[in-house]
Amino acid sequence: MRAGSKPTKGKQPDIKVLFSPTLFWDAAQIDPERHAGYVIARVLDFGDMADVHRLREIYGDEQIARVVRCRRGLSPRTGKYWAVRLGIPVREVECLRKYYPRTPSRR
């Protein structure tokens, strides 16, 4: 863990300090509660092992599993790995579903 980056009770952790600087280069401010899905998806897709370990400490496997289930923008490779790792049936993972656009029916 980086120096001075351990979260304290009652105070929200600074996401940009806790994780690798390259993960959130494009975001000005990140609220760890409001943007939890974004943070979890970004770390699972692009973080290293230390980032993932820290993520699991902050959010827990239950919240991570919810994001893996419902986040369509998650990489399919990431979705499948975490589905297996967290015991989520693959059919429940949104990023692994095929979506076909509706086409107007011809009469």
Side-chain angles (χ1 to χ4, degrees):
M1 196 171 270
R2 292 183 181 96
S5 63
K6 190 164 186 149
T8 58
K9 286 195 175 201
K11 186 177 180 186
Q12 290 186 338
D14 183 358
I15 295 300
K16 292 179 104 175
V17 171
L18 286 175
F19 298 106
S20 300
T22 56
L23 291 176
F24 302 104
W25 64 272
D26 58 341
Q29 288 186 327
I30 304 166
D31 183 310
E33 290 177 23
R34 245 181 58 207
H35 304 120
Y38 166 72
V39 171
I40 292 169
R42 184 66 68 99
V43 172
L44 292 181
D45 267 340
F46 304 110
D48 60 22
M49 290 302 293
D51 291 326
V52 171
H53 179 72
R54 210 166 294 119
L55 181 79
R56 293 177 85 181
E57 287 177 349
I58 294 169
Y59 291 104
D61 286 349
E62 191 174 309
Q63 190 167 3
I64 292 170
R66 280 196 300 268
V67 171
V68 170
R69 275 189 175 95
C70 70
R71 192 84 175 195
R72 275 199 219 172
L74 199 61
S75 151
R77 174 182 268 176
T78 300
K80 191 164 192 173
Y81 173 83
W82 284 100
V84 170
R85 180 83 188 228
L86 297 173
I88 303 167
V90 174
R91 68 183 175 278
E92 293 179 14
V93 179
E94 287 292 321
C95 70
L96 299 176
R97 292 186 181 183
K98 293 190 187 273
Y99 291 92
Y100 298 102
R102 289 184 178 221
T103 55
S105 60
R106 296 183 180 187
R107 295 182 193 245

